[in-house]
Amino acid sequence: MINLAVFASGNGTNFEAIAQACQDGQIPAEVKILICDKPKAYVLERAKKYNILTKVVKLKDYASKEEYETQICAYLAPLNIDLICLAGYMKFCGPTLLNAYPNKIINIHPALLPAFKGAHAILDAYNYGVKVYGVTIHYVSPEIDGGKIISQATIDYHEGDTLDEIETKIHALEHILYVKTINKLIKEGL
Ligand code: GAR
């Protein structure tokens, strides 16, 4: 069995898609822990439903990013984590985490990287007027949203689609692509 950690900061629909797929046996893995940097994030409620261990770690409670990530690593170490899945985790990963889990941290981004990096990718793509939207899963590297791409999927824009409609379609696609990609990595031996 593969041990996963999920890091999230917000709503947690991607976290839930992964947790549900593990529970259903669609992914041969277990989500051992949710790391969350926002005490009020709804993802923490979702984790309760699945009986998943949660740890809230707030950057501002630590003197440095290094100390913050050292604490996260201390939570992960006894769980023998094979893969860390960032799922709307709105912090960049520093060297402490990246060196502890080389090539073992992946992220989902709601755009076709390298286009529309950053925290408002869907809105940025919408304002730009793109005709093809997409989702990217990539390895996390020191460059934000810049690591090696693992998988991508696309959705066509249809005349008159609203931002809300596009967001809904992108999130649905994210859930499918994340589950598929984790499975692919596990099959390939991570
Ligand atoms: C997702 O759309 C994810 O791709 C995005 O945050 C959302 C989290 O949704 N991540 C980024 O923009 C990273 N740059 P969720 O909390 O419902 O999973």
Side-chain angles (χ1 to χ4, degrees):
M1 197 57 122
I2 295 293
N3 294 330
L4 303 180
V6 179
F7 290 17
S9 307
N11 185 359
T13 64
N14 282 285
F15 162 80
E16 183 154 0
I18 295 167
Q20 185 65 47
C22 289
Q23 191 174 334
D24 293 348
Q26 281 181 64
I27 302 178
E30 191 184 330
V31 180
K32 300 294 269 186
I33 189 167
L34 166 71
I35 300 287
C36 180
D37 61 320
K38 298 270 183 259
K40 292 189 181 148
Y42 187 66
V43 67
L44 293 163
E45 296 303 313
R46 295 184 194 267
K48 278 189 205 151
K49 248 184 11 192
Y50 291 86
N51 247 324
I52 291 171
L53 171 70
T54 61
K55 292 289 178 194
V56 175
V57 194
K58 287 178 359 194
L59 181 57
K60 68 174 179 12
D61 290 345
Y62 297 84
S64 65
K65 183 90 176 189
E66 187 185 347
E67 281 184 26
Y68 163 80
E69 291 192 339
T70 299
Q71 176 63 72
I72 293 176
C73 288
Y75 287 135
L76 301 183
L79 302 172
N80 296 317
I81 296 302
D82 299 296
L83 184 69
I84 297 174
C85 302
L86 308 187
Y89 174 67
M90 295 314 213
K91 294 254 178 316
F92 75 88
C93 291
T96 309
L97 254 173
L98 291 173
N99 293 336
Y101 293 91
N103 277 317
K104 299 284 183 218
I105 310 178
I106 64 174
N107 180 44
I108 188 156
H109 184 75
L112 290 173
L113 289 173
F116 306 111
K117 295 178 177 181
H120 310 286
I122 303 176
L123 182 63
D124 292 345
Y126 179 80
N127 287 337
Y128 199 90
V130 302
K131 301 299 175 217
V132 179
Y133 288 84
V135 174
T136 302
I137 295 174
H138 63 93
Y139 287 104
V140 175
S141 74
E143 191 198 333
I144 294 174
D145 297 328
K148 186 172 172 241
I149 291 173
I150 305 166
S151 60
Q152 290 185 309
T154 62
I155 308 168
D156 286 343
Y157 169 81
H158 296 289
E159 208 48 52
D161 277 353
T162 65
L163 179 59
D164 271 3
E165 286 163 348
I166 292 163
E167 275 178 354
T168 302
K169 285 187 211 174
I170 288 179
H171 291 312
L173 185 64
E174 285 190 314
H175 305 156
I176 295 166
L177 189 69
Y178 223 162
V179 169
K180 210 165 127 183
T181 303
I182 294 169
N183 259 319
K184 172 181 171 301
L185 291 175
I186 292 174
K187 277 202 189 97
E188 290 169 356
L190 292 172

